[in-house]
């Protein structure tokens, strides 16, 4: 609920459990007054203290009042060059070369429903949303800033976006335009970031805020394997179930910056948005720039509830699921089984061994097109390699379908190999600055997707393939970080637009694909989880979580990912052992338990598995299908921290309504004389009796307080699942 006090220019956004407030003061400066557990309201600006702080300048309107400084007051959207020396949200350069932005409140608009952003991903939905737009202006240049707030009350979710409009009469260069600024004047916070690398994504790192700026960012052109555009600020004592925490996610898949500053006054400011590195956007009079959306959830009771609110909102109000209301298929992917070396017979063989196990979708991965026999050639040539697949997809797909599986395909549209027909015809379509040699990544170059002509060509080529057979799934991959970012279609003084235009180009392509083929399930992938962000999820309802398919490493990767993103978005497959990334061997049971807490599939040559393993797979697939709703849509509880060296990792899904739950657990390395342990469950209805694995029944409060005694496990990495149903 949005409450306006127009007399005093106080704007209060209430969600079910939180309150957020800002106020335009007597100088029309928009101050942030409160964000935290829900309170009844009123003007919370009494919390702001005014004091003369040495070296803090005062705005002109304040006259000789020395206790009023932009630097010491909590700003709703921070400026630069006029007295606030902390992290700026906005920086622009008019023709006089100045770098000053001084924003004053102009007006507001209140609307039912949710705003949308042209060309950018955004949360959506008609029900339960309200929108507030607060307009500010720099009086000297007439640069206007519209701050958008979307309030999804039930989910404690507040979205933000920013639109900058040049209402002056000369051109302005925009150097910085963050999506979110959050000034929390009081509190000793920890910052949690989600970091890693290829095959080891989204490991949480937590540290107390220290004085100065601490940040994570990407300058790789993707949101990256290395840092995620999702961060958490929390009370230093916050745990899964206790303490105040603020999660902030950017819906953006390119270069981002998440920076937090703790000042000399121990004020805390979070700024999240497009990375100002190599960013400069020219705005002629009348033109506007829209910064991507950011979304915040504040949880007064720990990380668990924060995550669940993000999960619900992402599932219900961000992704577009072509299978909505139906089950997404359990898939078999051939990549780890064959890599580039396959032909139609091999693919049909894999599908043939998958069908009787209950698998439903066959995904043909990399290597089916052009002269793609290894990773040095073929990208850009989106036509079927007739040597491998004679008769093309028109011949192959019906053979797969006859076995009872639907058919999906892998593409990597953003890339080009130097050894390709496309590169020989259009060498200038790859990013690269004149006179400079190319930098390769995975032996490939990046297409300039800021260009409409390049995108159109690739789209048409892929469309021809998609139209040549009955295809129900596309894996959209992207396998290198961006370098040499220089676009032949932009003048020198606009090269600072190339990175962002690239990301917009990717979004435009994905949007076209989604609209032209509403029945196709698109899985995002960027060398595994290099672009696992809320921006991509708008277009691709699931994302390959990591190229690391080792079940034990996946416990950590999926746990880190779960802080913001739901199970139903995490691509996860059981693969062959010894694992291709770690050399570790764990049982088929363990691999299945871990993969089914994601979108679930297999990535192995099932023809090579033993009969005993086939029986296990069959049971796993049947179990997953039976409990699909619970696993994919249930509320997710981290029962342990996968990053602590503990005796086991455990998590649970609890159905809405709490009539059913699934508890999953994988032990760590075995040790002798293991103490007896009890696992305390979470999220159950204390007053309901649950049958556990079809045997005895216990009340929810007992299972949560007294817990479930764990058996003695034998050997490393043993799995256990408890299925609970209300009796
Ligand atoms: C990336 C993906 C893998 C696979 C290969 C194919 O690494 O993450 O899943 O598709 O590319 O080249």
């Amino acid at each position: 609920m949005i409450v306006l006090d127009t007399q005093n220019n106080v704007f209060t956004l209430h969600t079910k459990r939180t309150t957020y407030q800002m106020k335009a003061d007597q100088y029309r400066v928009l101050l942030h007054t409160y964000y935290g557990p829900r309170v009844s309201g009123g003007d919370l600006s009494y919390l702001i203290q005014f004091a003369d702080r040495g070296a803090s300048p005062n705005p002109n309107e304040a006259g000789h009042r020395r206790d009023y400084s932009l630097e010491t007051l909590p700003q709703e959207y921070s400026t630069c060059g006029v007295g606030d020396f902390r992290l700026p949200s906005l920086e622009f350069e008019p023709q006089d070369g100045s770098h000053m932005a001084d924003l004053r409140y102009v007006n507001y608009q209140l609307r039912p429903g949710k705003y949308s952003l042209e060309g950018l991903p955004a949360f959506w939905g008609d029900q339960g949303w309200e929108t507030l737009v607060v307009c500010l202006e720099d009086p000297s240049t007439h640069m206007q800033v519209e701050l958008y707030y979307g309030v999804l009350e039930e989910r404690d979710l507040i979205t933000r976006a920013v639109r900058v409009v040049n209402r002056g009469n000369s051109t302005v260069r925009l150097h910085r335009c963050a999506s979110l600024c959050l000034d929390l004047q009081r509190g000793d916070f920890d910052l949690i970031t989600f970091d890693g690398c290829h095959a080891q994504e989204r490991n949480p790192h937590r540290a107390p805020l220290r004085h100065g700026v601490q940040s994570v960012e990407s300058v790789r052109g993707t949101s990256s394997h290395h840092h995620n555009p999702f961060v958490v600020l929390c009370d230093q004592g916050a745990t899964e179930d206790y303490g105040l925490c603020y999660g902030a996610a950017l819906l953006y898949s390119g270069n981002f910056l998440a920076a937090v500053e703790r000042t000399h006054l121990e004020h805390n400011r979070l700024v999240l948005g497009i990375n100002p590195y190599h960013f400069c956007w020219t705005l002629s009079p009348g033109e506007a720039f829209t910064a991507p959306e950011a979304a915040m959830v504040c949880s007064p009771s720990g990380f668990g509830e924060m995550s669940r609110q993000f999960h619900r909102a992402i599932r219900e109000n961000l992704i577009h699921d072509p299978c909505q209301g139906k089950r997404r298929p359990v898939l078999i992917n051939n990549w780890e089984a064959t890599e580039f070396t396959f032909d139609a017979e091999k693919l049909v063989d894999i599908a043939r061994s998958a069908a009787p196990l209950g698998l439903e979708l066959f995904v043909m991965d990399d290597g089916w097109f052009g002269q793609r026999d290894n990773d040095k050639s073929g990208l850009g040539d989106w036509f079927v390699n007739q040597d491998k697949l004679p008769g093309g997809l028109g011949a192959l797909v019906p053979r797969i379908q006859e076995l009872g599986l639907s058919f999906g395909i892998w593409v990597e549209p953003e890339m080009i190999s130097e050894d390709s027909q496309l590169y020989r015809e259009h060498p200038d379509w790859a990013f690269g600055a004149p006179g400079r040699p190319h930098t390769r990544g995975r032996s490939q170059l990046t297409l300039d997707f800021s260009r409409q002509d390049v995108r159109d060509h690739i789209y048409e080529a892929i469309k021809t393939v998609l139209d040549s057979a009955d295809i129900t799934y596309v894996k959209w991959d992207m396998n290198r970080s961006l370098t040499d970012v220089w676009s032949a279609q932009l003048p020198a003084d606009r090269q600072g637009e190339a990175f962002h235009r690239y990301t917009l180009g990717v979004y435009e392509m994905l949007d076209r694909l989604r609209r032209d083929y509403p029945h196709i399930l698109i899985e995002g992938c960027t060398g595994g989880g290099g672009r696992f962000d809320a921006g991509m999820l708008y277009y691709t309802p699931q994302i390959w979580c990591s190229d690391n398919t080792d079940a034990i490493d996946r416990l950590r990767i999926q746990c880190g990912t779960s802080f913001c993103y739901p199970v139903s978005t995490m691509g996860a497959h059981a693969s062959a052992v010894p694992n291709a990334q770690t050399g570790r061997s764990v049982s088929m049971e363990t691999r299945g338990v871990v993969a089914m807490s994601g979108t679930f599939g297999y990535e192995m040559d099932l023809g090579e598995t033993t009969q005993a393993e086939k029986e296990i797979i069959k049971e796993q697939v049947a179990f997953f299908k039976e409990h699909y709703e619970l696993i994919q849509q249930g509320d997710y509880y981290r029962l342990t921290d996968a990053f602590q060296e503990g005796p086991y990792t455990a998590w649970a899904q609890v159905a809405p309504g709490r009539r059913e739950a699934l508890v999953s657990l994988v032990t760590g390395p075995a040790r002798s004389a293991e103490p007896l342990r009890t696992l305390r469950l979470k999220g159950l209805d204390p007053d309901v009796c649950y049958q556990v694995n079809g045997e005895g029944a216990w009340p929810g409060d007992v299972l949560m307080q007294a817990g479930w005694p764990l058996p003695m496990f034998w050997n490393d990495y043993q799995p256990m699942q408890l299925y609970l149903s209300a009796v």
Side-chain angles (χ1 to χ4, degrees):
M1 185 178 41
I2 300 178
V3 178
L4 305 178
D5 169 358
T6 47
Q7 289 260 295
N8 299 302
N9 293 325
V10 177
F11 307 91
T12 308
L13 319 180
H14 290 296
T15 70
K16 198 171 164 191
R17 301 196 311 155
T18 68
T19 297
Y20 183 99
Q21 194 187 76
M22 67 199 98
K23 172 184 174 145
D25 71 6
Q26 72 269 40
Y27 308 124
R28 307 182 83 78
V29 171
L30 190 62
L31 300 178
H32 177 76
T33 61
Y34 179 77
Y35 188 28
R38 184 165 173 148
V39 293
S40 50
D43 179 350
L44 302 176
S45 62
Y46 75 93
L47 291 164
I48 297 172
Q49 282 171 352
F50 296 88
D52 179 4
R53 302 288 189 169
S56 294
N58 320 106
N60 188 275
E61 304 96 304
H64 295 287
R65 191 181 156 186
R66 295 221 298 235
D67 66 350
Y68 188 101
S69 173
L70 298 183
E71 182 179 31
T72 58
L73 299 172
Q75 303 295 318
E76 184 59 26
Y77 193 68
S78 57
T79 56
C80 66
V82 292
D84 185 351
F85 300 106
R86 296 169 289 173
L87 286 167
S89 304
L90 180 71
E91 186 182 348
F92 59 81
E93 183 188 346
Q95 278 179 333
D96 63 9
S98 60
H99 281 247
M100 294 155 210
D102 198 9
L103 296 176
R104 293 292 183 272
Y105 171 69
V106 178
N107 58 26
Y108 75 91
Q109 269 182 45
L110 184 62
R111 306 180 205 150
K114 171 68 174 47
Y115 63 86
S116 56
L117 302 173
E118 207 191 324
L120 283 165
F123 279 86
W124 48 263
D126 300 323
Q127 299 299 315
W129 285 98
E130 279 181 290
T131 293
L132 173 71
V133 187
V134 180
C135 181
L136 311 175
E137 182 172 301
D138 175 56
S140 309
T141 57
H142 303 294
M143 286 292 279
Q144 281 199 349
V145 173
E146 295 163 2
L147 303 178
Y148 285 73
Y149 299 83
V151 179
L152 185 59
E153 188 166 344
E154 186 63 25
R155 298 288 170 241
D156 296 316
L157 186 93
I158 298 178
T159 65
R160 302 179 55 169
V162 177
R163 185 164 172 266
V164 177
V165 192
N166 181 359
R167 301 234 182 262
N169 46 28
S170 58
T171 297
V172 167
R173 285 157 67 81
L174 186 63
H175 291 287
R176 188 186 295 255
C177 183
S179 302
L180 174 154
C181 170
L182 183 61
D183 269 9
L184 299 169
Q185 279 206 303
R186 288 181 176 77
D188 290 322
F189 292 115
D190 284 351
L191 171 66
I192 307 177
T193 58
F194 297 83
D195 319 299
C197 58
H198 174 246
Q200 205 54 259
E201 295 89 342
R202 292 173 295 287
N203 290 218
H205 292 109
R206 176 174 182 169
L209 288 185
R210 51 183 172 71
H211 282 229
V213 175
Q214 38 249 272
S215 63
V216 289
E217 64 176 343
S218 170
V219 294
R220 295 168 176 270
T222 56
S223 50
S224 88
H225 302 87
H226 304 76
H227 303 288
N228 198 259
F230 170 71
V231 297
V232 177
L233 278 176
C234 61
D235 280 350
Q236 292 192 339
T239 65
E240 276 295 312
D241 307 301
Y242 171 82
L244 186 62
C245 53
Y246 303 90
L250 187 66
L251 282 71
Y252 192 59
S253 313
N255 293 343
F256 76 93
L257 174 65
V260 183
E261 180 167 5
R262 186 160 168 89
T263 71
H264 55 297
L265 299 175
E266 305 198 336
H267 295 166
N268 311 291
R269 170 176 292 172
L270 166 65
V271 173
L272 178 62
I274 292 181
N275 199 320
Y277 163 74
H278 198 169
F279 172 82
C280 180
W281 201 272
T282 300
L283 287 177
S284 302
E287 284 185 342
F289 176 82
T290 304
E293 182 164 273
M296 316 182 290
V297 168
C298 167
S299 160
S301 52
F303 309 126
E305 194 51 25
M306 174 198 74
S307 298
R308 287 186 286 280
Q309 289 292 53
F310 270 115
H311 295 174
R312 295 171 186 129
I314 289 173
R315 284 197 305 256
E316 292 161 18
N317 295 98
L318 180 62
I319 65 166
H320 297 89
D321 192 347
C323 305
Q324 192 154 32
K326 290 179 286 168
R327 202 167 42 70
R328 289 189 210 154
V330 185
L331 67 81
I332 171 77
N333 175 304
N334 71 300
W335 173 246
E336 285 200 14
T338 63
E339 297 210 342
F340 300 99
T341 314
F342 60 81
D343 57 15
E345 298 317 309
K346 181 72 195 166
L347 299 184
V348 171
D349 276 353
I350 295 178
R352 190 175 293 117
S353 47
L357 307 184
L359 301 184
E360 299 162 303
L361 165 67
F362 177 83
V363 177
M364 176 176 70
D365 210 282
D366 194 356
W368 57 266
F369 52 90
Q371 291 305 311
R372 183 73 169 168
D373 296 322
N374 54 51
D375 58 15
K376 293 173 191 59
S377 61
L379 290 169
D381 295 343
W382 298 111
F383 44 83
V384 173
N385 180 318
Q386 294 286 339
D387 296 334
K388 289 184 185 174
L389 307 176
L393 299 187
L396 175 65
V397 175
R399 293 182 66 192
I400 302 282
Q401 286 176 323
E402 271 164 32
L403 296 167
L405 285 92
S406 54
F407 187 84
I409 197 170
W410 177 100
V411 291
E412 193 178 357
E414 297 156 71
M415 294 295 151
I416 183 165
S417 306
E418 288 154 288
D419 183 4
S420 67
Q421 275 187 30
L422 187 71
Y423 189 76
R424 285 185 277 278
E425 281 162 28
H426 298 287
D428 58 318
W429 281 10
F431 269 140
R436 254 179 211 283
H438 284 302
T439 312
R440 296 183 193 92
R442 205 196 189 199
S443 299
Q444 62 202 45
L445 308 180
T446 313
L447 283 170
D448 179 357
F449 259 33
S450 73
R451 290 174 60 162
Q452 186 77 52
D453 56 344
V454 175
R455 295 200 303 272
D456 286 349
H457 176 93
I458 297 293
Y459 190 80
E460 286 309 318
I462 290 176
K463 191 171 189 313
T464 305
V465 175
L466 295 180
D467 291 342
S468 73
D470 183 6
I471 293 173
T472 58
Y473 164 107
V474 168
K475 175 172 169 187
W476 178 298
D477 205 346
M478 190 284 191
N479 279 312
R480 63 159 295 180
S481 303
L482 267 55
T483 57
D484 311 332
V485 175
W486 188 91
S487 173
Q489 273 194 351
L490 290 170
D493 63 351
R494 295 190 82 139
Q495 289 297 328
E497 300 180 13
F499 262 115
H500 182 56
R501 286 189 184 278
Y502 176 89
T503 304
L504 294 178
V506 173
Y507 288 157
E508 189 240 18
M509 286 278 276
L510 282 163
D511 208 46
R512 255 202 270 183
L513 188 62
R514 182 174 80 75
R515 286 175 194 283
D516 287 352
Y517 301 93
H519 66 287
I520 288 186
L521 174 62
I522 312 176
E523 175 154 348
C525 178
T526 297
R531 211 159 45 178
F532 203 123
D533 57 66
M536 282 307 277
L537 286 176
Y538 177 87
Y539 306 98
T540 68
Q542 58 189 56
I543 298 177
W544 183 226
C545 208
S546 176
D547 273 350
N548 187 343
T549 56
D550 176 277
I552 306 309
D553 278 4
R554 273 294 186 118
L555 290 172
R556 284 193 299 277
I557 296 169
Q558 292 174 199
C559 175
T561 305
S562 78
F563 274 78
C564 181
Y565 311 103
V567 162
S568 65
T569 64
M570 289 186 218
H573 301 165
S575 62
V577 290
N579 182 269
Q581 290 82 25
T582 62
R584 180 164 28 213
S585 293
V586 299
S587 68
M588 196 66 241
E589 286 94 334
T590 301
R591 285 175 273 158
V593 164
V594 176
M596 74 168 70
S597 262
T599 58
F600 202 29
Y602 291 80
E603 186 160 335
M604 61 208 301
D605 188 345
L606 293 167
E608 290 179 5
T609 51
T610 63
Q611 192 52 35
E613 282 184 326
K614 285 198 176 73
E615 290 306 320
I616 296 168
I617 294 174
K618 216 170 167 176
E619 278 172 31
Q620 287 171 342
V621 173
F623 181 86
F624 177 78
K625 288 180 183 172
E626 188 183 345
H627 300 297
Y628 180 82
E629 277 282 303
L630 166 62
I631 295 173
Q632 299 289 303
Q633 312 290 329
D635 286 339
Y636 188 80
Y637 288 82
R638 289 176 291 266
L639 301 179
T640 61
D641 178 353
F643 294 88
Q644 300 293 328
E645 291 265 319
Y648 55 83
T649 299
W651 65 99
Q653 282 103 327
V654 179
R658 300 190 286 177
R659 306 288 300 166
E660 267 188 311
L662 178 67
V663 179
S664 304
L665 176 149
V666 176
T667 62
R671 43 167 272 188
S672 67
E674 183 72 15
L676 291 174
R677 299 187 190 276
T678 308
L679 176 67
R680 290 206 280 173
L681 308 188
K682 290 183 183 176
L684 304 178
D685 185 334
D687 302 322
V688 163
C689 240
Y690 295 90
Q691 196 168 44
V692 182
N693 281 351
E695 292 168 10
W698 289 267
D701 62 343
V702 170
L703 293 169
M704 291 192 290
Q705 301 303 336
W708 185 258
L710 296 181
M712 296 296 287
F713 290 100
W714 178 249
N715 213 335
D716 299 337
Y717 308 121
Q718 295 300 304
M720 186 190 84
Q721 280 184 317
L722 303 175
Y723 171 68
L724 280 66
S725 59
V727 288

